[in-house]
Amino acid sequence: MGLSLAQRLSAQGARVTVFERESQAGGLTTYHDYEHFWWDRFYHVILSSDTHLIQYLQEIGLGDRLRWSAARAGLYAKGRFYPVSTTLDLLRFPLVGIIGKLRLARTIVACNRIRDWRELETVSVEEWLLRMCGQRTYEAFWKPLLLARLGAHYKRVSAVFIWSYITRLFSTRDTTAQRNQLGYVAGGYRTVIERLESLVQAAGGTIRLNTPVQAIESDAHAGITIKTNGCREHYDKVIWTSPIDGGSPLATQGLVSVGASSGPVEYLGVICPVLVTRRPLLPYYTLNLADSDVPFTGVIGMSSIVSTEETAGYYLTYFPKYVPSGDPEFQLPDETITQRFFQGARRLFPDLHDSDIVGLHLNKAAKVQPLQVLDYSKRVPRVTTRHQDFFVLNTSQFVNSTLNNNAVIRAVNEFVRQHRLSFEPAGDRFASALPAVSRP
């Protein structure tokens, strides 16, 4: 969000400084060194319906780097793998009877017809799906999907989640091939991040890595002062894209006021082992799990859509587990997490041998996505900026969509249109996303 916002503003004539506390830009979309190749730290995919993201990639000159594949989905239950990609797969799915299959189809049709998501915000996703499909279909089909996306806290999430998930996913249906088309950028998100960095820098902007913001203060007359590494700098405007709540220093320093809500925004984090192997583990991009003994909430077979030419001939599989951001599991030693992971992986893939494994990489993120609980739109912090040169844009404001990069680009586009920020030709500097902008 911060980097794309910085690029948008620099393209309009602003000189932007991006402050990034990590050693790489890109946030959750950043990349990772898998020893033999570079690829995304966490799994990402582009849907054919992601019009905002696809158009943006074309604008920054990466349209010709898009690659598309027909993706498959699967479900693991009772010790077996079941394909659930096509209409025929669902008709053959043995764990749901004919009535359940008809109700499953009705649920998907109903989601695509709903236009006002607010009517779903007061009912839990579990209650709504049980009402639509019945117990057997819910347990066999929907519950594994909820676990894969939300972890054990799915019971507290509203039906808005499944509505936004279904409407986005089923809009990718290729009516000719009757298959879901999923895409990626050649080189992964490293390609995108490096392109954005180069565009910002070519426009006179600066990207400061390993630079956490220590304080943000309003100036007496206009502009904002940023403190980093003990240094203080003046900027004309600042946009904050990290989470914010009533306990944030921004609120105590008078830059923003956070209105009362029905409760704090809760975030899900992810603990994600990534396995590099010499052979593919499964033919699916997504594998939902109906087995509570497996110590992760889903399996992502990235190499089912990404060419092995991108990964040095090896195969890449992600094993995410979604837990609350403050979960004690984040504090477990890596060795403990790794041991549990291999126990679960060999339960799923009993023919996985040490000789098949090239490497295991453990990636974590404490705050991945807000948990869209009941009446989430009422929980979203009512942030009011109290300074004309300070702005806030972050993912907690996504009340009717799942967290994905298409939604991020859409939010950035709407922010730029809404505020219509303008810049003097003399070269005012603009800072974004923990970014800021200074006067020379």
Side-chain angles (χ1 to χ4, degrees):
M1 180 172 281
L3 203 55
S4 58
L5 183 55
Q7 185 277 323
R8 277 273 189 247
L9 295 170
S10 63
Q12 294 183 359
R15 285 200 294 168
V16 179
T17 302
V18 179
F19 293 105
E20 171 59 64
R21 69 179 178 180
E22 303 295 339
S23 59
Q24 294 175 180
L28 292 171
T29 62
T30 198
Y31 44 91
H32 182 78
D33 182 1
Y34 291 98
E35 297 181 10
H36 301 280
F37 58 91
W38 292 83
W39 198 256
D40 305 341
R41 179 174 295 171
F42 302 105
Y43 60 94
H44 303 283
V45 72
I46 301 171
L47 277 59
S48 57
S49 59
D50 286 346
T51 54
H52 299 281
L53 177 58
I54 292 171
Q55 181 178 347
Y56 185 64
L57 292 172
Q58 292 170 343
E59 287 179 21
I60 63 175
L62 295 179
D64 62 343
R65 304 293 299 274
L66 277 167
R67 305 289 184 266
W68 297 97
S69 298
R72 299 178 63 192
L75 187 146
Y76 177 82
K78 299 181 179 181
R80 292 189 59 187
F81 295 88
Y82 299 95
V84 290
S85 304
T86 66
T87 303
L88 184 59
D89 289 337
L90 295 178
L91 289 173
R92 292 173 173 172
F93 188 51
L95 303 184
V96 174
I98 185 62
I99 300 300
K101 291 168 184 173
L102 292 174
R103 298 181 76 177
L104 178 62
R106 184 185 72 165
T107 304
I108 295 170
V109 171
C111 278
N112 282 303
R113 288 179 175 174
I114 291 173
R115 294 295 176 262
D116 186 2
W117 55 270
R118 290 175 181 83
E119 66 185 71
L120 300 176
E121 197 178 27
T122 59
V123 58
S124 75
V125 65
E126 182 175 54
E127 178 185 345
W128 190 79
L129 287 171
L130 283 170
R131 184 193 310 160
M132 295 294 292
C133 291
Q135 187 75 39
R136 182 181 176 186
T137 303
Y138 171 76
E139 293 286 343
F141 188 82
W142 292 115
K143 185 177 178 180
L145 184 147
L146 296 177
L147 284 169
R149 299 299 183 274
L150 300 167
H153 284 250
Y154 70 90
K155 288 178 176 287
R156 300 172 53 225
V157 171
S158 79
V160 173
F161 170 81
I162 204 67
W163 169 80
S164 59
Y165 177 85
I166 289 175
T167 53
R168 180 172 183 255
L169 183 64
F170 278 82
S171 63
T172 69
R173 184 70 61 180
D174 184 322
T175 56
T176 301
Q178 288 295 299
R179 295 181 294 182
N180 290 330
Q181 297 294 309
L182 301 182
Y184 62 95
V185 175
Y189 266 95
R190 183 184 185 186
T191 299
V192 180
I193 292 167
E194 290 181 345
R195 175 61 58 89
L196 292 177
E197 289 176 321
S198 66
L199 290 172
V200 170
Q201 292 164 347
T206 303
I207 298 172
R208 300 184 187 177
L209 305 177
N210 300 305
T211 308
V213 172
Q214 297 169 322
I216 302 179
E217 302 168 354
S218 60
D219 286 356
H221 301 292
I224 304 289
T225 292
I226 299 286
K227 181 180 179 182
T228 60
N229 298 329
C231 299
R232 302 168 69 86
E233 297 175 275
H234 175 83
Y235 290 86
D236 292 327
K237 301 181 189 297
V238 170
I239 307 171
W240 176 274
T241 60
S242 286
I244 184 172
D245 54 40
S248 166
L250 297 177
T252 59
Q253 292 166 5
L255 284 170
V256 299
S257 61
V258 182
S261 65
S262 59
V265 173
E266 302 173 63
Y267 280 83
L268 283 178
V270 67
I271 299 169
C272 189
V274 187
L275 199 60
V276 181
T277 56
R278 291 184 171 84
R279 63 179 182 85
L281 298 184
L282 72 167
Y284 310 117
Y285 173 70
T286 56
L287 178 69
N288 298 318
L289 304 175
D291 186 339
S292 59
D293 293 330
V294 177
F296 29 85
T297 50
V299 183
I300 306 296
M302 186 58 63
S303 294
S304 69
I305 63 169
V306 173
S307 169
T308 53
E309 293 179 3
E310 301 276 0
T311 54
Y314 299 117
Y315 296 84
L316 195 61
T317 309
Y318 295 77
F319 296 81
K321 180 176 183 179
Y322 290 96
V323 294
S325 59
D327 194 285
E329 194 157 350
F330 277 106
Q331 309 305 320
L332 290 176
D334 289 354
E335 295 78 11
T336 302
I337 297 174
T338 298
Q339 183 180 17
R340 292 180 180 178
F341 159 75
F342 275 119
Q343 290 173 351
R346 289 196 165 93
R347 179 184 178 91
L348 281 179
F349 309 109
D351 59 345
L352 176 64
H353 302 292
D354 289 346
S355 59
D356 297 322
I357 299 171
V358 177
L360 174 68
H361 302 257
L362 183 59
N363 296 323
K364 305 177 187 177
K367 289 190 175 182
V368 173
Q369 64 180 20
L371 195 63
Q372 292 182 325
V373 296
L374 296 177
D375 290 319
Y376 177 72
S377 66
K378 298 177 182 177
R379 285 181 176 244
V380 174
R382 297 294 187 266
V383 177
T384 304
T385 58
R386 303 172 68 180
H387 193 288
Q388 63 181 2
D389 296 323
F390 184 77
F391 305 85
V392 174
L393 175 67
N394 60 41
T395 57
S396 71
Q397 298 164 3
F398 294 2
V399 296
N400 64 344
S401 71
T402 58
L403 180 61
N404 57 77
N405 285 325
N406 185 64
V408 167
I409 296 301
R410 180 176 60 196
V412 167
N413 291 344
E414 290 175 354
F415 177 89
V416 173
R417 282 196 300 267
Q418 176 185 353
H419 293 285
R420 296 182 181 178
L421 301 169
S422 59
F423 312 100
E424 307 259 345
D428 290 352
R429 276 190 195 165
F430 200 100
S432 157
L434 282 190
V437 199
S438 72
R439 267 182 205 144

